[in-house]
Amino acid sequence: DWYEIAKLFLKENASILWLEDKEQKLIIGRSVKLDQFVSYRCNTNYRTPETIARFIQNTLPIQFEIGNPLPGLGVDVHEYKNEQEQPKKVAHIIKQLIMQGFTQDEIYIVSCKGANKSVFSKLDKIGNLPLSHFTGSYDQKGQQIMTEGLLHFDSIYRFKGLESPAVILVDIEFDKLNKHQQHVLFCGMTRATVKLDLLINNEKVGSKALFDCR
């Protein structure tokens, strides 16, 4: 449907570049059929630093080549029993990241759930730091209205396509990793360009179950 809508704005015989990544497809549905298109496929990940990329390769059954030679600062895994524990754990992680040299605007908290389903969507602060997130409303120009804050929070469904030096991926509470959930994790983990932290519900999946998913 979006392809048909886009064509309404194009001149006749316009050139079209259609970008798609099947490993980061978060909405379940049919692929777009593009007749008479020339296709080029690249399986190289240029964003993710080597330490994070190796972690992803050892964790998820998704094949890709590492194209970023920078080492990065790796991945830390943290467990929680219920979602109400997460803000306190995230506050501690943020304190550690700031000690490592990250600025507050370089840290993004990303939920594996829809934004309104996460405990973080109801918070104005993490520790003593104000948290910025989407209010669900738009101004008269159609721009998203965000709360004011030094830290940032969003869902992976809204953060897809973006990146941040430090990403804290929260609300990982899958009962088991089906194909769709693998895509959600892959998309979330590849948003980090330097450091990645994971918060996993150990009552639903736990770090060992996640690491054994291959």
Side-chain angles (χ1 to χ4, degrees):
D1 292 342
W2 283 110
Y3 175 52
E4 294 299 324
I5 292 172
K7 289 196 297 184
L8 297 175
F9 295 88
L10 300 177
K11 295 181 179 180
E12 187 176 355
N13 299 320
S15 297
I16 303 173
L17 176 63
W18 186 275
L19 301 177
E20 190 170 299
D21 186 346
K22 65 183 181 65
E23 301 298 353
Q24 300 192 50
K25 187 176 181 181
L26 302 185
I27 299 176
I28 300 174
R30 295 178 299 175
S31 296
V32 178
K33 186 176 182 180
L34 302 172
D35 296 326
Q36 300 180 351
F37 269 63
V38 175
S39 297
Y40 171 77
R41 292 176 173 83
C42 177
N43 199 36
T44 305
N45 180 326
Y46 292 99
R47 174 191 289 122
T48 308
E50 186 174 4
T51 52
I52 298 177
R54 295 293 183 195
F55 177 89
I56 297 171
Q57 288 179 332
N58 292 331
T59 302
L60 298 175
I62 295 177
Q63 301 299 318
F64 64 92
E65 296 179 8
I66 301 173
N68 185 344
L70 298 175
L73 294 178
V75 182
D76 285 327
V77 179
H78 318 265
E79 295 186 349
Y80 67 94
K81 292 183 178 180
N82 63 74
E83 65 175 1
Q84 302 302 325
E85 293 181 358
Q86 291 188 93
K88 184 176 180 180
K89 289 181 176 290
V90 167
H92 177 72
I93 294 169
I94 290 171
K95 182 178 180 180
Q96 296 299 314
L97 290 172
I98 291 174
M99 289 176 62
Q100 287 180 287
F102 291 94
T103 61
Q104 295 162 358
D105 61 351
E106 291 178 326
I107 301 170
Y108 230 108
I109 304 164
V110 180
S111 172
C112 289
K113 297 180 179 179
N116 293 330
K117 297 179 180 178
S118 173
V119 64
F120 291 93
S121 66
K122 305 175 182 65
L123 300 179
D124 295 323
K125 292 183 178 181
I126 298 293
N128 294 322
L129 298 175
L131 182 65
S132 173
H133 56 78
F134 180 45
T135 63
S137 300
Y138 298 84
D139 62 21
Q140 293 181 344
K141 295 182 179 180
Q143 300 295 318
Q144 302 174 20
I145 299 177
M146 310 292 290
T147 61
E148 294 186 5
L150 299 174
L151 301 171
H152 306 283
F153 165 76
D154 218 330
S155 75
I156 187 55
Y157 298 93
R158 289 168 46 83
F159 196 60
K160 178 185 177 183
L162 302 177
E163 64 183 39
S164 184
V167 169
I168 306 172
L169 198 60
V170 300
D171 296 320
I172 303 174
E173 52 181 32
F174 308 130
D175 294 326
K176 57 182 178 180
L177 287 172
N178 59 34
K179 192 70 174 178
H180 173 68
Q181 291 163 346
Q182 290 170 10
H183 292 332
V184 170
L185 273 180
F186 181 71
C187 185
M189 289 194 284
T190 53
R191 300 307 94 200
T193 61
V194 180
K195 178 70 169 62
L196 174 65
D197 284 270
L198 306 176
L199 264 72
I200 301 174
N201 187 324
N202 61 7
E203 291 190 341
K204 289 195 174 183
V205 59
S207 58
K208 184 178 186 301
L210 177 64
F211 299 156
D212 291 345
C213 73
R214 291 178 63 89

